[in-house]
Amino acid sequence: MSCLPDPRLPTGPLATAWRRTRDGLPLISPLRKRQLRIVVVGSGLAGSAAAASLAEQGYQVQLVTFHDSPRRAHSVAAQGGINAAKNYANDGDSVERLFADTLKGGDFRAREAGCYRLAEISGAIIDQCVAQGVPFAREYGGTLANRNFGGSQVSRTFYARGQTGQQLLYGAYQALMRQVAAGRVELLTRREMLELVTLDGVARGVVCRNLLSGELETYTANAVVLASGGYTNVYYLSTNALKSNASAIWRAHLEGALFANPCFTQIHPTCIPSGDAYQSKLTLMSESLRNDGRVWLPLKAGDRRPPDQIPEAERDYFLERQYPSYGNMVPRDVASRRARELCDGGHGVGQGGRSVYLDFHDAIASQGSEIIETRYGNLFEMYQRITGVDPMAAPMRIYPAPHYTMGGLWVDYHLMSSIPGLFVLGEANFSEHGANRLGASALMQGLADGYFIAPATVTAWLAEQGATAIGPDDPAVREACLEAGQRAQGRIEALLAVAGTRPVDSFHRALGQLMLEHCGIIRSAAGLQAGLAAVAELEAQFQRDLRVPGGAHEPNGELEKALRLSDFFGLAQLMLRDALAREESCGAHFREEHQSSGGEAVRDDQHFAHIAAWEHRPGAAPIRHQEPLSFSLLQPSTRNYQ
Ligand SMILES: Cc1cc2nc3c(=O)[nH]c(=O)nc-3n(C[C@H](O)[C@H](O)[C@H](O)COP(=O)(O)OP(=O)(O)OC[C@H]3O[C@@H](n4cnc5c(N)ncnc54)[C@H](O)[C@@H]3O)c2cc1C
């Protein structure tokens, strides 16, 4: 491929674009659907929702996940909530406002049509989840409660205490298990997808490693849906579930799927700071806490007094000072950068001066401890268990940490990648978030993709293939499976054959440190170039000195990690390249060469109002394609949260 496929964006008014598109999509009769097979990879919100919805339509679905139960998917960890433009709070919200906040929050690096569709579908998601029995928080009168999240001035976030992801996932899981019981979904747990099977450039199935037996298994299908989540664990220390990785999308990329905006990584401002060098994961403190918690640091650099001994006049509520209009609810990229700057300047508190206070004292004094407890009880409990400090009595200490990836496989308006028949949903695609994802919008996007968009567009693609299209059991497909299986086998054998001295985790930690240093909250040309050289050198060491104990034909956690890390090396280099090529600052991508005198991001709309979509070329540098972005309803403006 040497050009970008048609993104199939709708023409005409945005307000009716999705309805017009959907109404124009071809359908398939229920009888025919029963003869068609779809493989879904991933059992998080996007994958479970898609598998349940496609099976409900009548397709034969196989769902592959490396967990022992779909309920363990990383989506279970989502705490704060899910957005929807319902205007229940009667504070002026609308589809147009959610659309505008999403597009502006993403710093105008997302497609307008996608953002509009997301806002439009958001209401139906809440209806569907309520109907499934998801226990959203309610007001005294029984209506659903809302709270506020960063980057918006209305309360549109629906939540279930601090366990929104868990409750939504259980809703999707119920819907999925109904289809399992009906025999329409085959649940294939403890399988990890290692390769995508393609024939003549069309997706035809996946090769998986059975994590219990070590055997390689192939699953062929008329369409493949990847919903394998994000890749923040490239930083090693992140808020993501330990096993979250990039292998499924990276392998598809190597088979020809374009990778879009890989460098757009969200660093979340409110995580519990890391304790020691051998920690393997960071814990998020939901953004919803900033509704009532106030962020501050000592005015004087190097002030080591405990927080209760620092008088009001000697505190700097820096977000409220710098952004009077949004205050503590500025978007995540802004809050993270400001916290880091002050910590770099010596104002930080705690171990190594790398944290800021999130203080509930004023909220408790004005609203009472009972209200604050009810609102954030389980988050406080989690914090106390990890740090030993009760946030009701003393401020939390928080610091930014890698959290979410806005980049992912390039998809068109139908969520199809540049490989025909390969659809990508949820955090695995590059989606609607542009250069920055606003809080509570990932759950919304994953469920919009899974429940509402893919069921329509996958059907349309299958309908367009016609009855004579090559089937999954065709001999040529079998041949392609064999070839993909040999690729997987070759990689496993090569990793085991290194027989070096250094364990996978030590390489992963080193990669994470390099990525944080060179491709983290702040980037520069010199840093990115140094990062590229250092990651390539580390990868060479990995290939020379890796030690994977055990064999291929048995459960082997170290081998699983080594396979994932070998993919992270390739992805890390693509992230660095992408960050280097984007000579502007936008959203979470902050290049220090491109900032205003006040330290705000300076976009270059003339040269970079596009999606960067990377094409892999074996043995040669990848090609950077550009999909231009155009705007009709809302013109790009400088993000201003003051
Ligand atoms: C701590 C935390 C809190 C969050 N809070 C919020 C919030 O309040 N609101 C919000 O909107 N968003 C939140 N997010 C983000 C949100 O949770 C995720 O973006 C979203 O859940 C991703 O869903 P997903 O279905 O795309 O992927 P995931 O839930 O990550 O699921 C991926 C699935 O793919 C499977 N998989 C991956 N690779 C393979 C492979 N190679 N083979 C087989 N299976 C594979 C995994 O087994 C898993 O089942 C939070 C994230 C974190 C980390």
Side-chain angles (χ1 to χ4, degrees), residues 41-47 64-67 73-75 77-81 191-193 227-229 239-240 245 248 284 403-404 426-427 437 440-443:
V41 178
S43 62
L45 279 172
V64 175
T65 172
F66 53 58
H67 296 290
H74 158 73
S75 290
Q79 300 167 345
R191 264 76 168 197
E192 178 140 20
M193 172 189 155
S228 53
T239 62
N240 279 205
N245 68 90
L284 177 73
H403 176 61
Y404 180 90
E427 198 174 332
R437 169 174 79 79
S441 58
L443 300 179

